[in-house]
Amino acid sequence: MNLRFVAATVVPLLIAAPAFAQDGGSSSSAGAHVAVVAGYESLKASSGGVSESLNGATYGIKLGYDFSVMEHGLLGAEVELTNYTAKFDAGFGDTLKVGRDIYIGGRAKLDVSETFAVYVKAGYTNAELKATSGGLAAKATMDGWRIGAGAELK
């Protein structure tokens, strides 16, 4: 994914986003949100008793919308598009690279205090693998499920 494409997509969204005032009754922030995704990814593949790990950086964008369900809790829906730098080079021009990943799911968030919240998330993911060998290239997609947990600090 081209970094200029991501910047050209995200910057107008951030500039055009309206400001939402929050009432004093809840520390939850219901509504739309945009986030930059960055991290480290490790994918382990095994076949016939041989296993390899593909490690690299993860980067992308997440769009979501949270709905207030109680004074200090939210339910939300989110879509994430990420890409990876993970690549395995077997030599002689044979490579395996992790490509884009599309995630669609939901999350439940609970405010522990005015500045700290915890959440759980789950959803469907579709990832792409790219292989090259002897000058030939092939792509394959894999469907799966993602579950996770995290924390937010305001």
Side-chain angles (χ1 to χ4, degrees):
M1 174 179 285
N2 189 330
L3 187 57
R4 287 182 278 170
F5 173 75
V6 172
T9 305
V10 174
V11 172
L13 290 172
L14 295 175
I15 293 170
F20 294 102
Q22 184 175 3
D23 64 12
S26 170
S27 61
S28 292
S29 52
H33 61 274
V34 176
V36 173
V37 177
Y40 179 79
E41 185 78 14
S42 180
L43 173 70
K44 185 174 182 178
S46 60
S47 178
V50 177
S51 65
E52 282 294 330
S53 293
L54 294 138
N55 303 306
T58 303
Y59 60 93
I61 186 169
K62 178 176 77 169
L63 306 171
Y65 195 91
D66 290 330
F67 302 90
S68 182
V69 293
M70 58 185 188
E71 185 176 352
H72 297 287
L74 301 170
L75 289 179
E78 54 190 14
V79 175
E80 196 173 288
L81 179 59
T82 54
N83 203 1
Y84 303 99
T85 63
K87 182 178 180 181
F88 174 70
D89 189 350
F92 307 106
D94 296 345
T95 62
L96 180 63
K97 181 179 182 333
V98 181
R100 61 103 183 115
D101 183 24
I102 301 169
Y103 164 74
I104 300 170
R107 71 180 192 151
K109 178 178 149 183
L110 180 65
D111 292 328
V112 178
S113 70
E114 287 192 24
T115 59
F116 186 73
V118 293
Y119 66 88
V120 294
K121 66 189 287 180
Y124 163 81
T125 185
N126 178 274
E128 182 179 76
L129 289 176
K130 300 175 184 178
T132 58
S133 181
L136 300 174
K139 290 183 187 179
T141 58
M142 299 177 298
D143 297 320
W145 298 100
R146 181 183 299 177
I147 58 170
E152 293 180 0
L153 183 63
K154 291 183 183 178

